[in-house]
Amino acid sequence: MNHSILDGTSTVGFADPGHTRIPGRALVRTCMSRPAVAVTPDTDFATMVAAITASRRGVLPVVAPDGTVTGVVAASDLLAAYAEPNTAELLARDLMTAPAVTVAEDRTVAEAVATVHQRSIHHLPVVDGEDRLTGMVSPHDLLDALRRDDEQMRNEALTLALTPGTGVVPSSLHIRCERGRLTVAGRTRTRGDAAALCLQLARIEGIAGLTDRLRWDLDDIEGRAEA
Protein backbone atom coordinates (compact mmCIF):
# COMPACT_ATOMS: atom_id res chain seq x y z
CA MET A 1 0.00 0.00 0.00
CA ASN A 2 1.14 3.52 -0.76
CA HIS A 3 0.09 7.02 0.04
CA SER A 4 -2.75 8.37 -2.02
CA ILE A 5 -2.32 10.50 -5.09
CA LEU A 6 -2.55 13.69 -3.02
CA ASP A 7 -0.11 12.42 -0.40
CA GLY A 8 -1.38 14.42 2.55
CA THR A 9 -1.45 17.79 0.82
CA SER A 10 -4.37 20.20 0.60
CA THR A 11 -6.89 19.39 -2.13
CA VAL A 12 -8.53 22.80 -2.15
CA GLY A 13 -7.51 23.26 -5.78
CA PHE A 14 -9.57 20.25 -6.80
CA ALA A 15 -12.83 21.82 -5.64
CA ASP A 16 -15.45 23.57 -7.70
CA PRO A 17 -14.27 27.22 -7.75
CA GLY A 18 -17.89 28.35 -7.63
CA HIS A 19 -18.25 27.14 -4.05
CA THR A 20 -17.72 29.54 -1.17
CA ARG A 21 -15.17 28.12 1.25
CA ILE A 22 -16.08 29.78 4.52
CA PRO A 23 -16.47 27.85 7.77
CA GLY A 24 -19.44 29.25 9.66
CA ARG A 25 -21.85 29.17 6.72
CA ALA A 26 -24.92 28.99 8.98
CA LEU A 27 -26.92 32.18 9.31
CA VAL A 28 -26.92 34.21 12.52
CA ARG A 29 -30.68 33.73 12.92
CA THR A 30 -30.11 30.01 13.45
CA CYS A 31 -27.90 30.48 16.51
CA MET A 32 -29.05 33.72 18.14
CA SER A 33 -30.88 33.83 21.46
CA ARG A 34 -34.37 35.23 21.54
CA PRO A 35 -36.22 37.11 22.80
CA ALA A 36 -33.58 39.72 23.57
CA VAL A 37 -33.93 41.70 26.79
CA ALA A 38 -33.78 45.41 25.92
CA VAL A 39 -34.35 48.82 27.46
CA THR A 40 -35.35 52.23 26.12
CA PRO A 41 -33.31 55.44 26.30
CA ASP A 42 -35.45 56.55 29.28
CA THR A 43 -34.93 53.39 31.36
CA ASP A 44 -33.60 54.21 34.83
CA PHE A 45 -30.45 52.82 36.42
CA ALA A 46 -32.11 50.34 38.77
CA THR A 47 -34.18 48.84 35.96
CA MET A 48 -31.10 48.48 33.77
CA VAL A 49 -29.29 46.59 36.53
CA ALA A 50 -32.29 44.29 36.99
CA ALA A 51 -32.62 43.75 33.23
CA ILE A 52 -28.98 42.89 32.59
CA THR A 53 -28.94 40.56 35.58
CA ALA A 54 -32.06 38.79 34.34
CA SER A 55 -30.71 38.47 30.79
CA ARG A 56 -27.39 37.04 31.97
CA ARG A 57 -25.76 38.84 29.06
CA GLY A 58 -22.97 41.39 29.13
CA VAL A 59 -24.85 43.94 27.05
CA LEU A 60 -28.29 45.55 27.05
CA PRO A 61 -29.54 46.83 23.69
CA VAL A 62 -31.22 50.22 23.86
CA VAL A 63 -34.15 50.42 21.46
CA ALA A 64 -36.34 53.21 20.14
CA PRO A 65 -40.16 52.93 20.21
CA ASP A 66 -40.12 51.34 16.74
CA GLY A 67 -37.72 48.61 17.90
CA THR A 68 -34.62 49.88 16.14
CA VAL A 69 -31.37 49.62 18.07
CA THR A 70 -29.99 53.03 19.02
CA GLY A 71 -27.19 51.96 21.35
CA VAL A 72 -25.99 49.46 23.94
CA VAL A 73 -25.29 49.60 27.67
CA ALA A 74 -22.61 47.18 28.87
CA ALA A 75 -22.32 45.65 32.31
CA SER A 76 -19.02 47.51 32.64
CA ASP A 77 -20.88 50.80 32.06
CA LEU A 78 -23.25 50.01 34.91
CA LEU A 79 -20.43 49.03 37.24
CA ALA A 80 -18.54 52.22 36.46
CA ALA A 81 -21.67 54.25 37.13
CA TYR A 82 -21.78 53.06 40.73
CA ALA A 83 -18.84 55.36 41.39
CA GLU A 84 -20.76 58.37 40.10
CA PRO A 85 -22.86 60.65 42.31
CA ASN A 86 -26.63 60.59 41.79
CA THR A 87 -26.50 57.13 40.21
CA ALA A 88 -30.24 56.72 40.64
CA GLU A 89 -30.84 59.61 38.25
CA LEU A 90 -28.89 58.06 35.38
CA LEU A 91 -30.84 56.87 32.36
CA ALA A 92 -29.90 54.49 29.56
CA ARG A 93 -29.33 57.43 27.24
CA ASP A 94 -26.64 58.71 29.64
CA LEU A 95 -24.66 55.46 29.64
CA MET A 96 -25.21 53.89 26.25
CA THR A 97 -22.62 53.60 23.51
CA ALA A 98 -24.01 54.80 20.20
CA PRO A 99 -24.26 53.87 17.47
CA ALA A 100 -24.47 50.22 18.43
CA VAL A 101 -22.48 47.54 16.61
CA THR A 102 -25.07 45.07 15.37
CA VAL A 103 -25.26 42.10 13.02
CA ALA A 104 -28.07 41.33 10.60
CA GLU A 105 -29.86 38.05 11.17
CA ASP A 106 -29.24 37.00 7.55
CA ARG A 107 -25.46 37.31 7.88
CA THR A 108 -23.35 34.20 8.26
CA VAL A 109 -21.82 33.07 11.53
CA ALA A 110 -18.40 33.64 9.94
CA GLU A 111 -19.29 37.28 9.31
CA ALA A 112 -20.48 37.68 12.91
CA VAL A 113 -17.21 36.16 14.16
CA ALA A 114 -15.26 38.63 12.04
CA THR A 115 -17.25 41.54 13.50
CA VAL A 116 -16.66 40.36 17.06
CA HIS A 117 -12.93 40.07 16.38
CA GLN A 118 -12.52 43.34 14.50
CA ARG A 119 -14.52 45.43 16.94
CA SER A 120 -13.23 43.69 20.11
CA ILE A 121 -16.73 43.10 21.47
CA HIS A 122 -18.51 40.07 22.86
CA HIS A 123 -22.28 40.32 22.61
CA LEU A 124 -23.94 41.46 19.40
CA PRO A 125 -27.54 42.65 19.03
CA VAL A 126 -29.14 40.95 16.04
CA VAL A 127 -31.37 43.02 13.77
CA ASP A 128 -33.72 42.45 10.86
CA GLY A 129 -33.69 44.25 7.53
CA GLU A 130 -35.13 47.38 9.14
CA ASP A 131 -32.62 47.44 12.01
CA ARG A 132 -35.19 46.25 14.55
CA LEU A 133 -33.92 44.07 17.37
CA THR A 134 -34.70 40.38 16.90
CA GLY A 135 -32.18 38.64 19.18
CA MET A 136 -28.71 38.54 20.69
CA VAL A 137 -25.65 36.51 19.83
CA SER A 138 -22.81 35.72 22.24
CA PRO A 139 -19.38 34.08 21.84
CA HIS A 140 -20.89 30.84 23.15
CA ASP A 141 -23.61 30.99 20.48
CA LEU A 142 -21.03 31.53 17.73
CA LEU A 143 -18.72 28.78 18.95
CA ASP A 144 -21.61 26.33 19.16
CA ALA A 145 -22.66 27.20 15.60
CA LEU A 146 -19.10 26.67 14.34
CA ARG A 147 -18.94 23.33 16.15
CA ARG A 148 -22.21 22.26 14.54
CA ASP A 149 -20.90 23.33 11.13
CA ASP A 150 -17.88 21.04 11.63
CA GLU A 151 -20.16 18.16 12.63
CA GLN A 152 -22.38 18.67 9.58
CA MET A 153 -19.39 18.68 7.21
CA ARG A 154 -17.93 15.61 8.88
CA ASN A 155 -21.26 13.78 8.58
CA GLU A 156 -21.52 14.76 4.91
CA ALA A 157 -17.99 13.49 4.33
CA LEU A 158 -18.79 10.20 6.05
CA THR A 159 -21.89 9.74 3.90
CA LEU A 160 -19.87 10.33 0.72
CA ALA A 161 -17.02 8.03 1.78
CA LEU A 162 -19.31 5.18 2.82
CA THR A 163 -21.47 5.28 -0.30
CA PRO A 164 -21.25 1.93 -2.11
CA GLY A 165 -18.80 2.04 -5.00
CA THR A 166 -16.23 4.39 -3.45
CA GLY A 167 -13.84 1.53 -2.79
CA VAL A 168 -13.34 2.61 0.83
CA VAL A 169 -12.72 -0.07 3.47
CA PRO A 170 -15.26 1.08 6.13
CA SER A 171 -13.33 -0.26 9.10
CA SER A 172 -10.26 1.77 8.11
CA LEU A 173 -12.03 5.10 7.68
CA HIS A 174 -11.32 8.03 10.01
CA ILE A 175 -12.65 11.52 9.28
CA ARG A 176 -12.45 14.65 11.41
CA CYS A 177 -13.32 18.28 10.79
CA GLU A 178 -11.88 21.16 12.78
CA ARG A 179 -12.56 24.81 11.95
CA GLY A 180 -13.79 23.77 8.53
CA ARG A 181 -10.68 21.75 7.73
CA LEU A 182 -11.39 18.15 6.84
CA THR A 183 -8.89 15.32 7.37
CA VAL A 184 -9.60 11.89 5.88
CA ALA A 185 -7.59 8.74 6.59
CA GLY A 186 -8.17 5.12 5.68
CA ARG A 187 -7.73 2.64 2.87
CA THR A 188 -9.31 2.30 -0.54
CA ARG A 189 -9.31 -0.48 -3.07
CA THR A 190 -7.39 1.49 -5.69
CA ARG A 191 -5.42 4.71 -6.04
CA GLY A 192 -8.09 5.95 -8.45
CA ASP A 193 -10.76 5.39 -5.80
CA ALA A 194 -8.74 7.51 -3.35
CA ALA A 195 -8.35 10.33 -5.88
CA ALA A 196 -12.05 10.29 -6.81
CA LEU A 197 -13.09 10.40 -3.15
CA CYS A 198 -10.84 13.37 -2.48
CA LEU A 199 -12.41 15.24 -5.39
CA GLN A 200 -15.87 14.63 -3.94
CA LEU A 201 -14.87 15.66 -0.42
CA ALA A 202 -13.22 18.85 -1.66
CA ARG A 203 -16.56 19.94 -3.13
CA ILE A 204 -18.39 19.90 0.21
CA GLU A 205 -19.88 23.35 0.67
CA GLY A 206 -18.14 25.41 3.34
CA ILE A 207 -14.98 23.33 3.58
CA ALA A 208 -11.87 25.40 4.26
CA GLY A 209 -9.30 22.72 3.38
CA LEU A 210 -8.82 18.99 2.92
CA THR A 211 -5.91 16.87 4.12
CA ASP A 212 -5.72 13.44 2.49
CA ARG A 213 -4.13 10.57 4.40
CA LEU A 214 -5.68 7.79 2.36
CA ARG A 215 -3.78 4.66 1.30
CA TRP A 216 -4.68 2.10 -1.32
CA ASP A 217 -4.19 -1.58 -2.17
CA LEU A 218 -3.81 -1.33 -5.97
CA ASP A 219 -2.10 1.47 -7.95
CA ASP A 220 -4.24 1.62 -11.07
CA ILE A 221 -3.11 5.13 -12.03
CA GLU A 222 0.62 4.48 -12.42
CA GLY A 223 -0.07 1.50 -14.65
CA ARG A 224 -2.30 3.55 -16.98
CA ALA A 225 0.29 6.34 -17.18
CA GLU A 226 3.00 3.90 -18.32
CA ALA A 227 0.73 2.38 -20.93
Side-chain angles (χ1 to χ4, degrees):
M1 294 187 293
N2 300 293
H3 263 239
S4 83
I5 187 173
L6 299 174
D7 200 23
T9 59
S10 173
T11 59
V12 169
F14 285 82
D16 181 350
H19 282 170
T20 301
R21 303 180 159 278
I22 304 175
R25 55 186 169 166
L27 299 183
V28 169
R29 67 164 61 96
T30 66
C31 70
M32 69 183 187
S33 299
R34 66 171 86 196
V37 176
V39 296
T40 69
D42 295 323
T43 300
D44 61 65
F45 185 82
T47 303
M48 285 188 284
V49 171
I52 205 166
T53 302
S55 72
R56 304 191 71 81
R57 299 277 179 176
V59 164
L60 274 178
V62 182
V63 298
D66 62 356
T68 57
V69 180
T70 61
V72 294
V73 175
S76 57
D77 298 325
L78 295 172
L79 288 172
Y82 269 106
E84 299 292 330
N86 303 318
T87 297
E89 299 177 7
L90 292 174
L91 302 178
R93 70 173 75 254
D94 302 319
L95 298 177
M96 72 180 188
T97 299
V101 179
T102 63
V103 62
E105 60 185 10
D106 60 355
R107 294 293 186 180
T108 64
V109 168
E111 290 173 308
V113 170
T115 298
V116 166
H117 175 69
Q118 292 166 3
R119 304 300 291 268
S120 297
I121 54 180
H122 296 288
H123 295 78
L124 276 172
V126 183
V127 297
D128 62 14
E130 298 180 358
D131 290 330
R132 294 175 300 194
L133 182 69
T134 58
M136 289 287 292
V137 67
S138 70
H140 292 291
D141 298 326
L142 296 175
L143 286 171
D144 187 52
L146 292 172
R147 177 188 60 79
R148 283 186 277 116
D149 250 16
D150 280 344
E151 289 181 356
Q152 290 169 0
M153 284 186 277
R154 178 179 181 273
N155 289 338
E156 187 174 345
L158 281 169
T159 299
L160 286 172
L162 294 176
T163 299
T166 61
V168 172
V169 178
S171 61
S172 71
L173 185 65
H174 296 280
I175 295 178
R176 72 173 187 270
C177 188
E178 298 175 351
R179 300 176 65 185
R181 298 186 176 278
L182 198 68
T183 299
V184 56
R187 195 171 86 251
T188 61
R189 184 176 58 86
T190 68
R191 183 178 181 182
D193 289 336
L197 177 59
C198 285
L199 288 172
Q200 291 185 67
L201 296 180
R203 292 190 175 98
I204 294 176
E205 183 182 358
I207 192 174
L210 173 61
T211 298
D212 158 34
R213 294 176 181 167
L214 290 169
R215 302 170 76 87
W216 65 83
D217 294 327
L218 174 66
D219 190 343
D220 57 339
I221 292 179
E222 184 176 347
R224 287 203 304 268
E226 292 177 352

